[in-house]
Amino acid sequence: MVPASEVWLLCMALFASALGGMLGMASGIFIVPMLTLFGHVELHVAIGASLISVIACSCGSASAFLKAGLTNIRLAIVLEVATTTGALTGVHLAGLIPVRAIFALFAAIMLLSAWQMTGRRGPVATEFAAKRSGIRGRLDATYVDPVSKAATPYRVDRLPLAMVLMYGAGVISALLGIGSGALKIPAMDKALRLPIKVSSATSNFMIGVTAAAGAGAYLLTGAVQPGVAGPVALGSVLGAIAGARILHRVQPDRLRGLFALVLLVLAVNMGLAALGIDKMGLGG
Amino acid sequence: MIVEDGDQRIEHLLSRLFALGTGLGSTLIAGGLMTGESVGAKLVMAGVATFVLLPVARVAVMLALFLQRRDGLFAIAAALVMFTILVAGLSDGGVAHPAAHAGNVKDVLEGGHR
C-alpha cells in the first residue's frame, strides 16, 4: 500500500498547486518551505522534488491555457532564451551562495513585487495606428478575454528590460527550485505591460522549460527521490489542472489583489525561513 | 493567441502534446506509487523523466514548426533555448557541493550517480 507519508505529501501538493494554478503561479514556492519545515526533508531533496512538481504543474495547466488562446508562445520562446541561460547560471551558482542569503533576497523581491502589483499602473498600451516593424511587431498580439469575450489587442513593450528580469528569474528558479512565476508575472506585467491573463498564461508556459533546465542537474546528482518527488509531482498536476480551469473565469482586476496578498504571505514565509532555518539544525 | 496565421495550429499541437504527456507522466507516477518497492520506484522515476522531457519536447516541436515555416527569427530563439537546456541539464554545476545545501547531502550523493 501507499505509505501514509506519501499520501500526506500528495494532498499537500494538491492543495498548494490548486491555489497556485488558480493564480497562474507555479506551486513550487510553497513546496520547499513545506517539505523542509514540516516534512523534515533535506533541502537538497526538497529542491529537487520542487523542481519536478513545478514542471508537472506547468505541464498540467499548459493545455488549458493554450486552448484558451491566452499564451503568447512567440514571446515565450524569446524570453526563454534569457530564462534558460539564467537557469544554467543558477545551477552553477548553487554551490557558491549561502541559501539563507538567497531566501532573504527572495523575500525582499517578493515584497517589492507585492507592492508593485497593488500600486497604480498606466493603461495597457493598446492604442497603435500601424503594425510595428521588427521583432516587437511580431510579438504584439490579440487575445480574447474569456470573461468579456472582447478581442483585445495588446503590444509588447520594453523587451530588453524583460529579458534581463527573465534572466534573473531563471537564476532563482534553478537556485531555489521554484518556477519564479512570482517574478515572471510582475516582470511581464510591469516591464512589458501585458494584460494580466496573458502574463499568467505565458509565464506558466515558460516555467516548465526554465525548471527543466535546472532539473537535469538535480537528477544527475540523485537529489530527486521517488518517494518525495513522486507524490509531490502527482499532487501538483492534479491541483494545477483544477486551478487552471478556474483561472480563466475570474475577472482580470481581481487577480491583482490576490497576487499581491499571496506574494505578501510568501515573503513572510521566506523571511522566516531565512532566519529560522538555522534553528532547525539544517545548517546552510 | 492570434499573432499570425498558423499560430493556432502550433497552439493546438502543443496543447495535445501537453495533455498526452501529462497523462502519461501522471499514470507512470501513480502506478509506481501504488506498486511500491524498487519496481515502483523505477516507474515513478520514469514518470518524473517524462515530465522533465515534456517542456524539452515542446521546444523541439516549436523549433521544427518554425523551421518548416522558414521563420528564422524564432527558429534561432528555439534552437538557442534547446541548446541551453541541454547544456544546463547535462552539467551538475554546483548542485552537488555541500557548502550551499544543508542536510545529509553525502547520503544523497552516495545514492545517486555522478
Side-chain angles (χ1 to χ4, degrees):
Chain A
M1 289 311 299
V2 185
S5 63
E6 292 186 358
V7 173
W8 183 84
L9 283 173
L10 193 147
C11 292
M12 175 210 74
L14 200 150
F15 172 73
S17 176
L19 182 66
M22 205 163 62
L23 299 175
M25 289 166 57
S27 65
I29 194 70
F30 301 100
I31 302 284
V32 171
M34 282 205 218
L35 283 178
T36 53
L37 296 175
F38 303 134
H40 302 291
V41 175
E42 289 96 2
L43 184 60
H44 202 64
V45 174
I47 293 177
S50 174
L51 273 177
I52 304 301
S53 92
V54 160
I55 298 172
C57 198
S58 164
C59 293
S61 50
S63 183
F65 279 124
L66 282 165
K67 275 199 222 157
L70 292 169
T71 317
N72 189 332
I73 62 170
R74 289 170 185 276
L75 176 63
I77 199 79
V78 168
L79 292 177
E80 275 159 9
V81 174
T83 66
T84 52
T85 312
L88 175 59
T89 310
V91 160
H92 286 276
L93 279 178
L96 299 172
I97 300 182
V99 178
R100 283 187 299 146
I102 298 292
F103 276 20
L105 176 66
F106 199 23
I109 292 175
M110 278 193 288
L111 281 175
L112 185 65
S113 298
W115 177 74
Q116 280 180 327
M117 294 212 84
T118 53
R120 288 186 51 210
R121 74 197 283 258
V124 173
T126 56
E127 311 292 326
F128 54 100
K131 209 163 185 303
R132 296 187 298 175
S133 62
I135 188 173
R136 288 180 307 157
R138 309 252 350 250
L139 295 173
D140 296 344
T142 299
Y143 82 109
V144 178
D145 188 294
V147 176
S148 67
K149 302 289 183 216
T152 317
Y154 64 91
R155 335 168 62 148
V156 176
D157 270 332
R158 299 193 290 185
L159 189 63
L161 171 62
M163 293 290 274
V164 171
L165 294 173
M166 289 301 155
Y167 174 81
V171 173
I172 294 201
S173 175
L175 269 177
L176 296 183
I178 61 164
S180 292
L183 294 177
K184 291 186 176 112
I185 294 176
M188 285 193 277
D189 184 56
K190 285 293 168 187
L192 296 173
R193 293 196 270 259
L194 300 182
I196 190 69
K197 286 194 183 177
V198 174
S199 299
S200 302
T202 310
S203 163
N204 179 81
F205 195 66
M206 292 178 355
I207 276 168
V209 165
T210 315
Y218 285 84
L219 275 171
L220 277 184
T221 55
V224 178
Q225 295 184 0
V228 179
V232 169
L234 191 59
S236 297
V237 176
L238 298 173
I241 293 174
R245 296 248 166 97
I246 305 172
L247 170 68
H248 63 266
R249 290 201 201 120
V250 177
Q251 285 283 353
D253 288 336
R254 293 221 182 126
L255 284 177
R256 313 190 122 264
L258 256 171
F259 277 131
L261 184 63
V262 172
L263 281 173
L264 197 61
V265 169
L266 294 178
V268 170
N269 262 328
M270 290 298 251
L272 287 175
L275 297 171
I277 207 168
D278 210 23
K279 293 183 192 151
M280 306 280 295
L282 295 177
Chain B
M1 185 52 37
I2 319 294
V3 179
E4 299 177 8
D5 296 338
D7 264 19
Q8 268 185 312
R9 183 179 161 238
I10 297 180
E11 284 170 15
H12 185 68
L13 248 163
L14 293 177
S15 182
R16 294 256 301 276
L17 173 68
F18 278 111
L20 286 171
T22 304
L24 176 63
S26 305
T27 308
L28 284 170
I29 292 180
L33 287 176
M34 289 193 288
T35 309
E37 303 299 322
S38 65
V39 172
K42 292 205 176 96
L43 280 175
V44 170
M45 290 310 279
V48 166
T50 306
F51 276 118
V52 173
L53 289 173
L54 203 48
V56 181
R58 183 265 279 178
V59 176
V61 166
M62 286 177 75
L63 175 60
L65 285 171
F66 287 138
L67 283 173
Q68 185 195 45
R69 291 166 54 179
R70 310 215 184 286
D71 205 330
L73 191 63
F74 292 99
I76 290 174
L80 274 174
V81 173
M82 195 65 153
F83 176 71
T84 312
I85 293 178
L86 289 174
V87 171
L90 292 173
S91 70
D92 61 6
V95 168
H97 293 199
H101 291 280
N104 305 323
V105 176
K106 274 191 194 156
D107 293 348
V108 172
L109 288 180
E110 272 157 14
H113 56 89
R114 299 287 305 265

